Amino acid sequence: MITYDAIVIGSGITGGWAAKELTEKGLETLVIERGRNVEHRKDYITEHKPNWQFPLRDARLAVGTQGAQEYPIQARTGQFHESVKHFFIKDHRNPYIEDKPFTWIQGDQVGGKSLIWGRQVYRWSDLDFEANLRDAHAVDWPIRYADLAPWYSYVERFIGVSGERLGLPQLPDGEFQPPMEMNAGEKFVKAGLERAFPDRRLTIGRVAILTQALNGRLPCHYCGPCERGCSTGSYFSSQSSTLPAARATGRLTIIPNSVVHSLIYDAAKNRVTGVRVVDTTTNETREYSSRVVFLCASTLATTRVLLNSKSARFPEGLANSSGVLGRYLMDHHFVVGASGAIEGLLDRYYQGNRPNGIYIPRFRNLGDDASRRGDYVRGFGYQGGASREGWARGGSEAGFGVELKRKLHDPGRWTMGLTGFGECLPRADNQVQLADQTDEFGIPLLRIHCTWGENELAMRKDMAASAAEMLEAGGCKEVRTRDAYKEGELGGEPGLGIHEMGTARMGRDPRTSVLNAHNQAHDVPNLFVTDGACMTSSSCVNPSITYMALTARACDYALGELKRGNL
Amino acid sequence: MSRASITRRQALEQAATLLGGALSAPTVAGVLSTATRRAWAASPRWTPRTLSPAQLELVATMAEHIIPQTDTPGARAAGVHRFVDTLLSDHYAATERDRFLAGLADVDARAQSAHGQPFARCSPEQRIMLLKEMDARAYASGRGDDGWFFRRLKELTVVGYYTSEIGAMQELHMSPFGAYRGDIPYTSVGRAWS
């Protein structure tokens, strides 16, 4: 068995960070990745390709289309297009059982979903870290904003975040590069909205895309579809940022095409001593050992590994003496909001494909009387943007011929949309378990049970109504609300937010949580979980930067513990 | 494009946001892949894989009426009919493909009953009359199944044309790489970005 100082399972957003931190601190580190290798630049095979070079013109490959045949689950997200299909997993390689609709979107490559993520980054605040304690759901976080604030800064300085400082307590400012510009429609709506609601702000999205050069990475050139890969490294991905840093230390080894079956546990030492891997090309089993293991395989994959690592000491899954492993699964609920049209501004336009939208920070249940809601707890934020209608409107209106062609020569009217992203309460009955069936690698399938609860459904009503109210206040006409969620159907189901989190939560008490304040398993000192599985509550903001900050902080702690001889 | 479920991409697109971007601009003229050549190149060896020659001509004729040649080439020159054949062959589920083919047959049936010959052999005036009827019915309030075929054909014509090199680069133009400018006079641009 080959031995390393550290093993990191997964090479996505958190695995890349763990690899960078651990190697830079001097540890010989092995990164185990289930998917194929993807090399920065060389493997961005669709980057900058014009649409006419795609046989289907970069069609969305929806469920039921021929291109979705091997991807019946991945095709549920509208992000699944002809141009980025190769960065999603073929579903037969990651089968699971859904009791109710739950969409599990996965990458299957080095870099994981960091290649195709939404890149929106927002710090949590104590409104989030104290939420469970304040309204008595689940358990209290073992950390507060002050514990994580320096690590947010550390991460932001490395990944590069552009955004506007607002001074809001519920959405702390970070180390920002200059913000991207809002367009004329957004500026127009912002003015009316902030006049009508002085407590609300409309800002440009805070995004892990450079507006200034950083560490050899170039500022964004506004080609548009980041998710095809970016040769200038303008958005943060493992490929553009963390893996090169780790590689530069000379202490990084990455093995792709290796899915982790389980962790090997030594009860006498009470330590994880190794990792059991199935080679996805040969189906052969291999083992690796290390002094410390970081699980960064993505929320559900991580918990699946733990559940499948059974021993006499841990018959229900490794580090699961509490029995909460697999429970308290969350996602953000969305696909709810409003859109409307702006009259006028027809002499205003924009240039460049800005891969970013606007953001309206949370304004409900902030702890004061004015923002308190009686019908639900927690809150939501909006993402959205304005644009002028393009040629696509030609297919949805009557008329053809020279008249139609002449009409589509000019852009149409301005429209503006807002989509809410809402916090999901941690509930014990939203959970994953191992099923009896196994996949082609001999690993038991996950059975996923997850539904939106009453709190989410009550919040959605406000998310639609408030979006409409703000658009109207912002001067929009023909405002329409929409909510795509239908119980038991696809459209707004859990998982679709691709912010799945929880199932191996952090907490103060080993009897009710899996991980401590440093993402270290209460039960097994040399085991760390720093991806979304660790989350104790969900906030309403995009989670990735919090995972990154937690990972960097946990690596720092693990190094200290190694030096102190505690691991 | 078919839309079986509402998704994040759609949500954001429908909400008119720019997250994820829509189109990219070309850097250099890339080498066409085999699949792309098969689908796109207007080579004399290209043959349809789903449409019959008569159906292909019907699609090309209707598409050219929808987006005709003006001072820039129209749908036929942009190869919209080849795009439609590619979608029918490589994208649509069988039921959707068959529904589209039935719609084509219905167009000829209407032309036969109104003018005694298939659509492509009708005079331009007769064709435009037929198209006007179909267009009015397709976009009348309610938007029933009745107008499905014509709406779909028009959508495909518009998508096929404006994502072609002719539509994207000659009729419209593509946003250049470089800076993003969010609030500029439309007169400085002059036509829509593709």
Side-chain angles (χ1 to χ4, degrees), chain B residues 161-182:
Chain B
Y161 182 73
Y162 290 103
T163 60
S164 74
E165 189 166 6
I166 284 170
M169 302 285 278
Q170 290 186 44
E171 171 60 15
L172 303 182
H173 58 171
M174 298 180 82
S175 197
F177 290 0
Y180 175 74
R181 299 193 290 152

Side-chain angles (χ1 to χ4, degrees), chain B residues 44-168:
Chain B
R45 288 195 306 280
W46 185 90
T47 51
R49 287 175 292 142
T50 297
L51 296 171
S52 69
Q55 288 170 322
L56 189 73
E57 180 57 27
L58 175 57
V59 170
T61 305
M62 292 178 81
E64 180 68 17
H65 276 294
I66 293 169
I67 308 275
Q69 175 165 352
T70 52
D71 55 334
T72 60
R76 186 187 285 269
V80 164
H81 49 300
R82 293 193 292 275
F83 171 63
V84 169
D85 184 69
T86 301
L87 286 189
L88 294 172
S89 306
D90 298 335
H91 186 53
Y92 280 10
T95 49
E96 201 171 8
R97 179 198 64 208
D98 292 347
R99 191 178 183 192
F100 188 87
L101 295 176
L104 280 179
D106 183 56
V107 171
D108 269 342
R110 284 170 195 273
Q112 277 293 352
S113 86
H115 307 292
Q117 43 196 347
F119 184 88
R121 285 207 211 123
C122 290
S123 70
E125 294 72 26
Q126 290 170 331
R127 290 187 219 140
I128 287 170
M129 211 149 63
L130 287 163
L131 289 168
K132 276 188 171 163
E133 283 167 26
M134 286 188 270
D135 190 61
R137 201 169 46 244
Y139 294 93
S141 63
R143 301 210 170 178
D145 279 0
D146 186 33
W148 178 88
F149 168 76
F150 190 74
R151 287 196 301 272
R152 177 58 58 91
L153 178 79
K154 204 157 107 181
E155 283 165 19
L156 294 185
T157 301
V158 167
V159 171
Y161 182 73
Y162 290 103
T163 60
S164 74
E165 189 166 6
I166 284 170

Side-chain angles (χ1 to χ4, degrees), chain A residues 38 48 76 94 144 159 165 173 189 232 246 304 380 427 465 480 528 550:
Chain A
V38 166
H48 297 156
R76 292 177 183 175
N94 188 46
R144 290 293 181 261
I159 69 174
R165 301 176 69 87
D173 294 329
V189 172
T232 57
R304 186 182 181 204
F380 55 86
R427 286 172 22 227
R480 276 183 295 202
F528 291 79
L550 287 168

Side-chain angles (χ1 to χ4, degrees), chain A residues 49 51 53 57 60 66 76 78 181 347-352 395-397 399 401 405 409-410 415 417 482, chain B residues 6-7 9-10 15 23-24 36 40 66 68 70 91-92 135 139 154 160 163 175 181 183-184 186 192-193:
Chain A
K49 256 191 173 190
N51 274 13
Q53 289 190 15
R57 306 283 173 93
R60 174 171 179 222
Q66 293 182 44
R76 292 177 183 175
E181 190 189 351
D347 59 337
R348 310 311 300 167
Y349 206 25
Y350 39 78
Q351 178 178 313
S396 58
E397 299 166 1
K405 195 177 176 187
H409 189 77
D410 292 321
T415 61
R482 71 186 286 263
Chain B
I6 302 299
T7 63
R9 173 71 162 243
Q10 271 177 275
L23 296 172
S24 66
T36 305
W40 291 119
I66 293 169
T70 52
H91 186 53
Y92 280 10
D135 190 61
Y139 294 93
K154 204 157 107 181
T163 60
S175 197
R181 299 193 290 152
D183 189 0
I184 57 176
Y186 177 57
W193 303 120

